[in-house]
Amino acid sequence: MLLYRAVILRSILGTNVARQITAGSGTIRRLAAQLPPRIVINEDDIEESFLKGSGPGGQKINKTSSAVQLKHIPTGMVVKSQATRSRSQNRSIARRLLADKLEDAEKGSESRTALKSEVKRKKKASKAKKARRKYRALEDGNDQVEVLASRGTTDEKNETPFKDDGKSKA
């Protein structure tokens, strides 16, 4: 049901417009982050060559010319892709890499890759902050245990004095 709703929503609103999450009886809807469109590169500005691959992959990679090298003539930027054994897939990957590289040079911090890396950086920082908060709370809890041990309070189950000998496994 969830997959069906998401497909309908994407087909009605477009892929990057909205996302819908169904949880229990309620439905949560949030707008997806809008990225700027990719730069369209004129095919006349690209010089394409096919090279023999190298590295892991065995004899098949070394014998066939499936690696793609693109050179953007106006800027002189060169991109090489041999991500797969398929020439057509490597062509599309190389074109995407070249578009991203040109966009980075042109737009700087406003490019797609810069915006994606900024979102990733923020998520990582938030996760680290949450972890610090968690371990700080755990340390505060251990300080309370040490205070109880120094007061000589008793363990309620065994009626024995509770002492922290530092050998406890936490």
Side-chain angles (χ1 to χ4, degrees):
M1 185 70 177
L2 175 63
L3 180 64
Y4 181 70
R5 284 182 138 179
V7 170
I8 289 175
L9 186 67
R10 284 188 185 137
S11 65
I12 293 171
L13 299 176
T15 56
N16 290 331
V17 177
R19 290 202 176 127
Q20 180 174 341
I21 302 167
T22 304
S25 61
T27 300
I28 303 166
R29 191 170 156 195
R30 63 182 171 96
L31 291 177
Q34 295 292 323
L35 292 175
R38 277 201 165 86
I39 291 179
V40 178
I41 303 170
N42 188 0
E43 288 294 322
D44 297 333
D45 294 342
I46 297 175
E47 184 179 301
E48 185 176 41
S49 57
F50 302 102
L51 311 169
K52 290 187 178 177
S54 62
Q59 188 176 13
K60 178 72 174 173
I61 290 291
N62 299 331
K63 285 175 63 177
T64 59
S65 297
S66 60
V68 179
Q69 180 176 335
L70 297 178
K71 180 178 181 182
H72 189 247
I73 297 169
T75 60
M77 285 188 186
V78 178
V79 172
K80 181 180 177 185
S81 173
Q82 70 168 37
T84 67
R85 288 169 44 174
S86 168
R87 181 186 281 189
S88 60
Q89 286 179 355
N90 285 336
R91 287 180 77 194
S92 65
I93 292 170
R95 278 174 169 62
R96 193 175 330 122
L97 290 173
L98 183 61
D100 288 344
K101 200 170 182 180
L102 287 171
E103 187 178 23
D104 282 343
E106 184 180 316
K107 294 184 179 178
S109 63
E110 296 298 317
S111 66
R112 290 173 62 95
T113 54
L115 294 174
K116 285 181 183 179
S117 64
E118 181 67 20
V119 167
K120 190 181 272 189
R121 186 191 65 77
K122 285 182 180 179
K123 282 184 180 179
K124 187 175 180 180
S126 174
K127 192 174 183 180
K129 184 177 178 181
K130 185 177 177 183
R132 283 194 305 270
R133 205 177 316 137
K134 174 185 173 182
Y135 287 111
R136 192 175 309 127
L138 286 175
E139 286 176 2
D140 291 345
N142 287 342
D143 291 342
Q144 291 174 356
V145 169
E146 289 173 7
V147 168
L148 290 175
S150 66
R151 289 184 186 165
T153 58
T154 59
D155 186 7
E156 293 177 8
K157 292 180 182 175
N158 298 332
E159 294 296 328
T160 58
F162 176 76
K163 292 185 181 176
D164 186 17
D165 58 355
K167 297 179 183 176
S168 64
K169 295 179 184 175

